[in-house]
Amino acid sequence: MVDFVLRNYTDMIYGKDQETKTAKLIRDFGGTRVLIHHSGEDFVLELIERVKGYLDEEGLAWVELAGVVPNPHIELVYEGITLCRKENVDFILAIGGGSVIDSAKAIGIGALYEGDVWDIYEGRDRQKKSLPVGVISTFAGTGSEATFGSVITKGKIKHGIEDPDDFVLIRPKFVIMNPEITYTIPKFQTAVGIADMLTHLTENFFTADPDNDLSDHLACAGIRTVLKFAPIVMQDPCNYEARGALMVLSPLAINGIMKVGRWGDWGCHDIEHEMSGEWNIPHGAGLAILMPVWMRYVYKDHMKSFIKFAVEMFRIPLDVDEPEKTALAGIQAYEDFLYNMLGLPSSLSALGIPPEELGEEVIHKVAEQVFYRGNETTGRTHPLRKADVVRILRQCTGLI
């Protein structure tokens, strides 16, 4: 078991009508003047209006900033920082999924930072203060509602805050999870959220630190939970128990609890952040394209883990005479889940990226950007160099 620091400061409030507690929770954490931050999409507007009423009833002042898009942009973050300073905001309420939450976190640290908040995302500085953030989750997938992570896009560059000591400054103070709120999410967004969550668990499953039965069992339980409840949600979007199972799993899949004492690989996440920055694709969709390609690229060097993945996750019988067939059958089952059950595209070209934007020059630029921190490799379980990333990205295009 490797050394670890586990900090979890986010209160998780689960169940029907729990959003009615929003104003009291904000006041409990010292909030009096609130920025309501959201996407402005149709499915969230009715909830936004209800929340405004809860704040009014509690006597909390509020201002509003909508317009968050997938791969949230630094320009809206700057707008939010200016608004917070102008209105003396002392609490940020994110109502949405990962992009809204990441944007809210960036505004929270930027509002109290004297320089350009982008410097923090590029690793040139580190913030010591942040406005508190609370979340009403409308989406199961990224887990940002209970982590220190935040990823922001500037132009075609997508950078995230990283800290090896599990930085807690921008962890949300609370997250409200009412599965009924997720009923009206568009089917594609539901699917990419499931793919994102599943990849968090899969990144941790394929570890270079196998001597940890507890986290191994937790990762397996998480993956099996996704495999069980995702098909139900895709067929019956208003199934409360299935929506709830995924909603609760979302933060647990990435907030550290399910990976205690082990390092996952996480190379796919490093690569995909640069993919979605360049091609402006949903993070979960990019991961659904990338993860199976990575699996086929590395499985021969980690045959034992891939055989276990096939047998324990997909109940594929072990072929004793040719165990490699079992490993490949597990990868195929994973692909079938993503592309047939979730209905996600299997390549960048299938996602709608035109061929002229998938040429060698662009692929090399994206691969180079993966190593912007000066690291020579990405991924702990199977370290990849730039040449490896280029080969993987070529296969992701769907043009070869």
mmCIF file of all heavy atoms in Angstrom, residues 19 22-23 26 36 46-56 62 93 95 136:
data_model
loop_
_atom_site.group_PDB
_atom_site.id
_atom_site.type_symbol
_atom_site.label_atom_id
_atom_site.label_comp_id
_atom_site.label_asym_id
_atom_site.label_seq_id
_atom_site.Cartn_x
_atom_site.Cartn_y
_atom_site.Cartn_z
ATOM 1 N N GLU A 19 -32.789 20.084 -2.100
ATOM 2 C CA GLU A 19 -32.408 21.424 -2.541
ATOM 3 C C GLU A 19 -33.137 22.520 -1.756
ATOM 4 O O GLU A 19 -32.706 23.673 -1.752
ATOM 5 C CB GLU A 19 -32.642 21.585 -4.046
ATOM 6 C CG GLU A 19 -34.086 21.514 -4.478
ATOM 7 C CD GLU A 19 -34.575 20.100 -4.735
ATOM 8 O OE1 GLU A 19 -33.887 19.128 -4.321
ATOM 9 O OE2 GLU A 19 -35.651 19.968 -5.357
ATOM 10 N N THR A 22 -30.962 24.547 0.642
ATOM 11 C CA THR A 22 -29.822 25.284 0.097
ATOM 12 C C THR A 22 -29.492 26.533 0.894
ATOM 13 O O THR A 22 -28.330 26.758 1.277
ATOM 14 C CB THR A 22 -30.092 25.672 -1.369
ATOM 15 O OG1 THR A 22 -30.346 24.495 -2.141
ATOM 16 C CG2 THR A 22 -28.899 26.406 -1.953
ATOM 17 N N ALA A 23 -30.475 27.382 1.124
ATOM 18 C CA ALA A 23 -30.211 28.665 1.791
ATOM 19 C C ALA A 23 -29.665 28.458 3.198
ATOM 20 O O ALA A 23 -28.732 29.160 3.619
ATOM 21 C CB ALA A 23 -31.487 29.494 1.832
ATOM 22 N N ILE A 26 -26.019 27.410 2.995
ATOM 23 C CA ILE A 26 -25.153 28.544 2.668
ATOM 24 C C ILE A 26 -24.916 29.401 3.897
ATOM 25 O O ILE A 26 -23.782 29.801 4.201
ATOM 26 C CB ILE A 26 -25.773 29.382 1.534
ATOM 27 C CG1 ILE A 26 -25.740 28.588 0.221
ATOM 28 C CG2 ILE A 26 -25.032 30.708 1.365
ATOM 29 C CD1 ILE A 26 -26.491 29.246 -0.910
ATOM 30 N N ILE A 36 -24.973 32.884 -7.919
ATOM 31 C CA ILE A 36 -25.567 31.674 -8.474
ATOM 32 C C ILE A 36 -24.953 31.468 -9.857
ATOM 33 O O ILE A 36 -25.111 32.295 -10.753
ATOM 34 C CB ILE A 36 -27.099 31.808 -8.593
ATOM 35 C CG1 ILE A 36 -27.727 32.103 -7.235
ATOM 36 C CG2 ILE A 36 -27.695 30.543 -9.186
ATOM 37 C CD1 ILE A 36 -29.211 32.418 -7.311
ATOM 38 N N GLU A 46 -35.809 25.927 -14.399
ATOM 39 C CA GLU A 46 -36.858 25.840 -13.381
ATOM 40 C C GLU A 46 -36.252 25.671 -11.995
ATOM 41 O O GLU A 46 -36.708 26.276 -11.009
ATOM 42 C CB GLU A 46 -37.797 24.675 -13.707
ATOM 43 C CG GLU A 46 -39.032 24.581 -12.812
ATOM 44 C CD GLU A 46 -38.803 23.786 -11.537
ATOM 45 O OE1 GLU A 46 -37.896 22.929 -11.534
ATOM 46 O OE2 GLU A 46 -39.522 24.038 -10.543
ATOM 47 N N LEU A 47 -35.219 24.875 -11.897
ATOM 48 C CA LEU A 47 -34.515 24.691 -10.625
ATOM 49 C C LEU A 47 -33.882 26.001 -10.166
ATOM 50 O O LEU A 47 -33.949 26.351 -8.977
ATOM 51 C CB LEU A 47 -33.449 23.609 -10.783
ATOM 52 C CG LEU A 47 -32.494 23.403 -9.608
ATOM 53 C CD1 LEU A 47 -33.245 22.985 -8.351
ATOM 54 C CD2 LEU A 47 -31.418 22.376 -9.974
ATOM 55 N N ILE A 48 -33.283 26.734 -11.073
ATOM 56 C CA ILE A 48 -32.662 28.013 -10.732
ATOM 57 C C ILE A 48 -33.685 28.947 -10.098
ATOM 58 O O ILE A 48 -33.419 29.589 -9.067
ATOM 59 C CB ILE A 48 -32.047 28.677 -11.986
ATOM 60 C CG1 ILE A 48 -30.966 27.794 -12.610
ATOM 61 C CG2 ILE A 48 -31.501 30.067 -11.646
ATOM 62 C CD1 ILE A 48 -29.750 27.587 -11.764
ATOM 63 N N GLU A 49 -34.854 29.032 -10.677
ATOM 64 C CA GLU A 49 -35.877 29.937 -10.146
ATOM 65 C C GLU A 49 -36.333 29.497 -8.753
ATOM 66 O O GLU A 49 -36.574 30.338 -7.888
ATOM 67 C CB GLU A 49 -37.069 30.005 -11.108
ATOM 68 C CG GLU A 49 -36.735 30.674 -12.443
ATOM 69 C CD GLU A 49 -36.105 32.038 -12.251
ATOM 70 O OE1 GLU A 49 -36.671 32.874 -11.516
ATOM 71 O OE2 GLU A 49 -35.020 32.278 -12.839
ATOM 72 N N ARG A 50 -36.447 28.209 -8.536
ATOM 73 C CA ARG A 50 -36.818 27.729 -7.199
ATOM 74 C C ARG A 50 -35.755 28.087 -6.175
ATOM 75 O O ARG A 50 -36.058 28.496 -5.056
ATOM 76 C CB ARG A 50 -37.055 26.223 -7.216
ATOM 77 C CG ARG A 50 -38.368 25.820 -7.853
ATOM 78 C CD ARG A 50 -38.745 24.388 -7.524
ATOM 79 N NE ARG A 50 -37.957 23.418 -8.256
ATOM 80 C CZ ARG A 50 -37.142 22.534 -7.701
ATOM 81 N NH1 ARG A 50 -36.976 22.514 -6.384
ATOM 82 N NH2 ARG A 50 -36.472 21.666 -8.445
ATOM 83 N N VAL A 51 -34.494 27.922 -6.575
ATOM 84 C CA VAL A 51 -33.395 28.219 -5.640
ATOM 85 C C VAL A 51 -33.365 29.704 -5.291
ATOM 86 O O VAL A 51 -33.137 30.077 -4.136
ATOM 87 C CB VAL A 51 -32.050 27.763 -6.238
ATOM 88 C CG1 VAL A 51 -30.881 28.287 -5.401
ATOM 89 C CG2 VAL A 51 -32.008 26.244 -6.329
ATOM 90 N N LYS A 52 -33.619 30.554 -6.261
ATOM 91 C CA LYS A 52 -33.686 31.985 -5.973
ATOM 92 C C LYS A 52 -34.744 32.258 -4.895
ATOM 93 O O LYS A 52 -34.538 33.086 -3.983
ATOM 94 C CB LYS A 52 -34.011 32.769 -7.240
ATOM 95 C CG LYS A 52 -32.897 32.790 -8.274
ATOM 96 C CD LYS A 52 -33.364 33.506 -9.546
ATOM 97 C CE LYS A 52 -32.309 33.492 -10.623
ATOM 98 N NZ LYS A 52 -32.788 34.116 -11.884
ATOM 99 N N GLY A 53 -35.866 31.554 -4.984
ATOM 100 C CA GLY A 53 -36.906 31.716 -3.979
ATOM 101 C C GLY A 53 -36.448 31.278 -2.604
ATOM 102 O O GLY A 53 -36.747 31.945 -1.596
ATOM 103 N N TYR A 54 -35.703 30.178 -2.525
ATOM 104 C CA TYR A 54 -35.186 29.723 -1.226
ATOM 105 C C TYR A 54 -34.256 30.772 -0.619
ATOM 106 O O TYR A 54 -34.292 31.028 0.598
ATOM 107 C CB TYR A 54 -34.418 28.402 -1.373
ATOM 108 C CG TYR A 54 -35.200 27.276 -2.006
ATOM 109 C CD1 TYR A 54 -34.557 26.334 -2.814
ATOM 110 C CD2 TYR A 54 -36.574 27.138 -1.806
ATOM 111 C CE1 TYR A 54 -35.251 25.293 -3.400
ATOM 112 C CE2 TYR A 54 -37.277 26.093 -2.390
ATOM 113 C CZ TYR A 54 -36.612 25.177 -3.189
ATOM 114 O OH TYR A 54 -37.293 24.147 -3.774
ATOM 115 N N LEU A 55 -33.413 31.373 -1.456
ATOM 116 C CA LEU A 55 -32.485 32.388 -0.952
ATOM 117 C C LEU A 55 -33.242 33.632 -0.497
ATOM 118 O O LEU A 55 -32.910 34.227 0.547
ATOM 119 C CB LEU A 55 -31.470 32.754 -2.041
ATOM 120 C CG LEU A 55 -30.582 31.629 -2.594
ATOM 121 C CD1 LEU A 55 -29.499 32.208 -3.483
ATOM 122 C CD2 LEU A 55 -29.968 30.780 -1.498
ATOM 123 N N ASP A 56 -34.248 34.023 -1.262
ATOM 124 C CA ASP A 56 -35.052 35.187 -0.870
ATOM 125 C C ASP A 56 -35.735 34.950 0.481
ATOM 126 O O ASP A 56 -35.768 35.838 1.339
ATOM 127 C CB ASP A 56 -36.108 35.478 -1.941
ATOM 128 C CG ASP A 56 -35.509 36.040 -3.228
ATOM 129 O OD1 ASP A 56 -34.371 36.554 -3.176
ATOM 130 O OD2 ASP A 56 -36.175 35.949 -4.275
ATOM 131 N N TRP A 62 -28.444 37.785 -3.702
ATOM 132 C CA TRP A 62 -27.822 36.960 -4.729
ATOM 133 C C TRP A 62 -27.669 37.730 -6.042
ATOM 134 O O TRP A 62 -28.409 38.677 -6.313
ATOM 135 C CB TRP A 62 -28.618 35.677 -4.979
ATOM 136 C CG TRP A 62 -30.072 35.893 -5.317
ATOM 137 C CD1 TRP A 62 -31.124 35.880 -4.453
ATOM 138 C CD2 TRP A 62 -30.627 36.165 -6.609
ATOM 139 N NE1 TRP A 62 -32.301 36.118 -5.105
ATOM 140 C CE2 TRP A 62 -32.032 36.296 -6.437
ATOM 141 C CE3 TRP A 62 -30.078 36.313 -7.889
ATOM 142 C CZ2 TRP A 62 -32.880 36.575 -7.504
ATOM 143 C CZ3 TRP A 62 -30.928 36.584 -8.956
ATOM 144 C CH2 TRP A 62 -32.314 36.707 -8.748
ATOM 145 N N LEU A 93 -22.589 29.538 -5.361
ATOM 146 C CA LEU A 93 -23.437 28.356 -5.484
ATOM 147 C C LEU A 93 -23.417 27.892 -6.931
ATOM 148 O O LEU A 93 -23.913 28.580 -7.829
ATOM 149 C CB LEU A 93 -24.868 28.665 -5.052
ATOM 150 C CG LEU A 93 -25.862 27.505 -5.183
ATOM 151 C CD1 LEU A 93 -25.494 26.361 -4.241
ATOM 152 C CD2 LEU A 93 -27.289 27.977 -4.928
ATOM 153 N N ILE A 95 -24.785 25.445 -9.683
ATOM 154 C CA ILE A 95 -25.932 24.581 -9.959
ATOM 155 C C ILE A 95 -25.705 23.969 -11.331
ATOM 156 O O ILE A 95 -25.866 24.629 -12.365
ATOM 157 C CB ILE A 95 -27.254 25.370 -9.916
ATOM 158 C CG1 ILE A 95 -27.421 26.069 -8.567
ATOM 159 C CG2 ILE A 95 -28.433 24.440 -10.173
ATOM 160 C CD1 ILE A 95 -28.682 26.905 -8.447
ATOM 161 N N ILE A 136 -25.355 22.358 -6.054
ATOM 162 C CA ILE A 136 -26.539 21.538 -6.304
ATOM 163 C C ILE A 136 -26.247 20.769 -7.585
ATOM 164 O O ILE A 136 -26.140 21.356 -8.663
ATOM 165 C CB ILE A 136 -27.819 22.372 -6.460
ATOM 166 C CG1 ILE A 136 -28.086 23.205 -5.206
ATOM 167 C CG2 ILE A 136 -29.015 21.457 -6.735
ATOM 168 C CD1 ILE A 136 -29.296 24.109 -5.322
#
